[in-house]
Amino acid sequence: MKVSALLGLLPGAALASDVLNVAFYAKERSQLFDFISANSEIDYGCRPVVMAADGEHKLHAIISEEHLHHFKRSLDPELVRVELLHSINKRQESTAPIGKGDRFKGGRIAPRGFGSRKPSEYAELQRAGVFNADEVYTAMKGLERKYGMRLFTTPYKTFEGNKIIGGVANKAQKVRKDKQYIYLTSGIHARERGGPDNLIYFISDLLYANKHRKGLTYGNKKYTNSQVKKVLGAGIVFIPMLNPDGVRHDQANSNLWRKNRNPASAIAGDPLSVGVDLNRNFDFLWNFTQKFDPSVSPASTNPSSQAFYGTAPFSEPESKDMAWVYTQYPNIHWYIDVHSAAGTLLYSWGDDNNQSHDRKQNLFNLAYDGKRGVVNDDLYNEYIDQCDWDNIRLAANRTTDAMIGVGGRQYVPQQAVGLYPTSGASDDWSFSRWHKDKRLTKVYGYTMEFGYATNFYPSPEEYVQNVLDTNAGFMEFVLSAVEIGLKG
Ligand SMILES: [Zn+2]
């Protein structure tokens, strides 16, 4: 039943023709595991996520028409079958528009979130569409101008020379670097539209509600003004758009661009070989060919792959910038990297199943090189302290409960490894820092996947739902953090 990957027939190669959103189904999870191992170059979104579906297991992917024909011919449907969900090209005709011009007028107008507005006003936000890359900057300037929110520019410029900017939202007037405990990032995968908007609207809501002594409402979830103050008081450092080069490229071409635009490893004549998957570039078991079992591919060494890991850990300015924030705000204890599209909240670890009984099985132990990443085996499972595991799960469950409570749709909390491992991701790297150096603050790292499976360009209605869902999730996440403990 194994089918080798068809290099050269990858989804991106088919962008000019047709791109298909499909699902693979199998009775047993292990069958999908084998399938991914044999077809690791397929575009599974941020990472392969397997969901339960009517007594079966389901795996979403984006593939070309040629690929679909190939799988229809070669897969044994008794084991793994493929179903076409829709054509992404056709669907793109009804996606939320990218904003035109500058709705924030160079920062003279500040954004205002959904939670502080009446639902009757959502239509106007929906029509205005997804923030264009320039609007991400002017929205941030607007928040600085209106509320005195501190802005910062990270030290490493992107290949195309774009600045990466962040903000610090806190109840206190004077921002102290040692009093910020929460870190949120988005826009690391360029095509995941609405990620930056979700973060900026959330911070806008907090600042507005704090100033006007109001609460916030997201669908059926309501938060009081005292909860707003509690959340803002936790100190939130955020970078809404970690990959501005990629976002500009995706918005200009609507080609589902995911990576950055660094051409260092590019192959002449292959436009897909430009760029690094920034979320495989962090120093977490980065050198996967050595660290993992040879049967799994938690990233890719192929520059044309969507999951190309770069030339070294932190070879990219964007990943270095993300990491730099921890040197500036050393007490950050809770982190979420916001992605789409799956409807999950993932928590550590992402390289193998968690276990809390054998400290020797840990990512720094060279004795286990070549053994990691095969889920549900006994050769290797990643060590996590039981108390950390409990804390991490508790916050994850509360966060997804709040997202479900909005009333729009389901979200599933799960360990990041799920069915299949990932290396070099920002959430695991964040959590691993303390494991390597106990003088650092321990960071609980998460990946939030808003939106609908592999649907990176939301419809206008989904765009609104995504803002409401994620914003309720962020509220609950920080409230949970405050209760569990802000100090690591
Ligand atoms: Zn992603």
Side-chain angles (χ1 to χ4, degrees):
M1 91 119 212
K2 288 204 175 179
V3 181
S4 59
L6 298 176
L7 294 178
L9 276 181
L10 294 176
L15 282 174
S17 56
D18 211 0
V19 189
L20 307 174
N21 192 328
V22 301
F24 295 95
Y25 293 86
K27 288 241 155 36
E28 305 296 332
R29 283 164 62 92
S30 61
Q31 290 160 342
L32 287 177
F33 179 88
D34 290 345
F35 176 81
I36 300 167
S37 295
N39 297 279
S40 61
E41 298 280 306
I42 287 180
D43 187 347
Y44 297 105
C46 299
R47 52 183 99 194
V49 176
V50 173
M51 302 286 219
D54 295 330
E56 287 187 302
H57 297 90
K58 180 181 181 185
L59 168 71
H60 282 265
I62 300 168
I63 64 176
S64 66
E65 228 168 332
E66 293 94 322
H67 240 149
L68 178 65
H69 291 311
H70 168 75
F71 285 127
K72 287 226 151 145
R73 276 196 311 271
S74 59
L75 288 175
D76 176 357
E78 291 291 305
L79 299 173
V80 177
R81 67 173 204 284
V82 59
E83 274 183 25
L84 172 64
L85 302 176
H86 57 254
S87 152
I88 290 182
N89 289 13
K90 285 205 188 75
R91 207 169 186 285
Q92 278 182 21
E93 290 160 18
S94 60
T95 58
I98 305 289
K100 294 199 170 55
D102 180 7
R103 77 193 83 177
F104 306 115
K105 309 284 177 213
R108 290 196 302 283
I109 296 172
R112 189 168 145 206
F114 286 58
S116 64
R117 294 177 188 253
K118 295 190 192 74
S120 59
E121 295 171 50
Y122 296 170
E124 181 194 325
L125 296 167
Q126 189 176 308
R127 267 195 303 278
V130 179
F131 297 168
N132 66 51
D134 289 324
E135 287 177 320
V136 172
Y137 294 96
T138 56
M140 295 291 278
K141 279 192 192 128
L143 294 175
E144 179 188 41
R145 192 164 180 264
K146 181 146 189 172
Y147 302 105
M149 182 185 80
R150 178 189 282 194
L151 288 189
F152 61 85
T153 302
T154 58
Y156 305 97
K157 273 200 176 169
T158 66
F159 175 76
E160 291 176 351
N162 283 306
K163 278 186 197 167
I164 295 173
I165 62 166
V168 184
N170 197 308
K171 194 156 60 69
Q173 284 298 320
K174 191 176 172 326
V175 169
R176 284 181 48 179
K177 290 198 165 185
D178 60 339
K179 294 274 186 194
Q180 318 304 328
Y181 300 103
I182 312 290
Y183 184 19
L184 305 174
T185 57
S186 191
I188 195 167
H189 283 153
R191 65 192 180 184
E192 294 164 15
R193 290 186 182 171
D197 312 43
N198 293 335
L199 268 191
I200 288 173
Y201 277 134
F202 172 60
I203 300 295
S204 306
D205 265 344
L206 290 178
L207 295 172
Y208 179 93
N210 181 53
K211 183 173 176 178
H212 298 277
R213 300 194 169 85
K214 293 218 155 93
L216 293 168
T217 303
Y218 301 106
N220 298 325
K221 289 298 292 182
K222 289 191 193 319
Y223 294 97
T224 63
N225 179 252
S226 90
Q227 288 174 308
V228 166
K229 289 196 155 63
K230 207 181 262 186
V231 168
L232 209 45
I236 302 171
V237 184
F238 71 109
I239 296 180
M241 184 169 63
L242 261 172
N243 179 11
D245 294 3
V247 169
R248 284 184 194 283
H249 186 73
D250 177 72
Q251 293 190 344
N253 299 289
S254 288
N255 58 355
L256 295 174
W257 194 259
R258 156 172 161 138
K259 302 185 283 183
N260 72 359
R261 296 291 300 159
N262 180 359
S265 303
I267 301 155
D270 181 4
L272 293 173
S273 63
V274 172
V276 170
D277 180 356
L278 299 169
N279 210 30
R280 299 293 182 278
N281 189 240
F282 290 82
D283 192 9
F284 172 77
L285 299 170
W286 177 86
N287 190 7
F288 71 92
T289 54
Q290 202 174 69
K291 298 292 176 190
F292 285 77
D293 184 278
S295 73
V296 296
S297 304
S300 176
T301 58
N302 171 13
S304 303
S305 167
Q306 294 281 7
F308 176 52
Y309 71 163
T311 50
F314 290 115
S315 60
E316 305 308 296
E318 296 89 346
S319 45
K320 282 199 278 242
D321 281 328
M322 183 279 172
W324 169 84
V325 166
Y326 286 120
T327 68
Q328 300 300 300
Y329 301 93
N331 292 334
I332 289 168
H333 182 36
W334 297 85
Y335 169 65
I336 303 181
D337 194 20
V338 180
H339 289 250
S340 74
T344 55
L345 183 65
L346 308 176
Y347 52 85
S348 296
W349 294 101
D351 63 320
D352 210 317
N353 291 107
N354 286 356
Q355 54 86 10
S356 58
H357 57 270
D358 181 5
R359 286 171 191 272
K360 287 196 301 298
Q361 291 183 44
N362 72 73
L363 67 140
F364 300 107
N365 190 344
L366 302 179
Y368 289 101
D369 282 6
K371 296 191 166 70
R372 300 182 179 88
V374 181
V375 294
N376 304 325
D377 72 351
D378 293 330
L379 269 184
Y380 182 83
N381 289 304
E382 190 64 46
Y383 178 75
I384 182 169
D385 174 83
Q386 188 63 47
C387 181
D388 288 332
W389 196 356
D390 293 343
N391 287 342
I392 286 169
R393 267 192 301 207
L394 175 61
N397 291 337
R398 279 189 52 177
T399 302
T400 48
D401 280 351
M403 297 173 85
I404 295 164
V406 171
R409 57 169 302 202
Q410 288 299 306
Y411 288 87
V412 183
Q414 54 179 269
Q415 198 203 316
V417 73
L419 178 71
Y420 206 76
T422 305
S423 58
S426 64
D427 54 351
D428 281 326
W429 173 74
S430 294
F431 188 41
S432 75
R433 292 168 67 249
W434 173 87
H435 291 79
K436 191 175 186 184
D437 180 354
K438 300 290 192 294
R439 289 167 303 179
L440 300 175
T441 305
K442 186 189 289 167
V443 177
Y444 292 151
Y446 295 80
T447 296
M448 181 186 282
E449 294 268 357
F450 68 86
Y452 298 79
T454 53
N455 182 22
F456 302 111
Y457 298 170
S459 71
E461 296 75 22
E462 288 164 355
Y463 173 74
V464 171
Q465 192 66 48
N466 290 339
V467 175
L468 298 174
D469 293 351
T470 57
N471 285 205
F474 298 147
M475 277 300 287
E476 202 73 28
F477 178 75
V478 182
L479 288 170
S480 308
V482 170
E483 282 172 37
I484 294 167
L486 285 179
K487 296 187 180 158

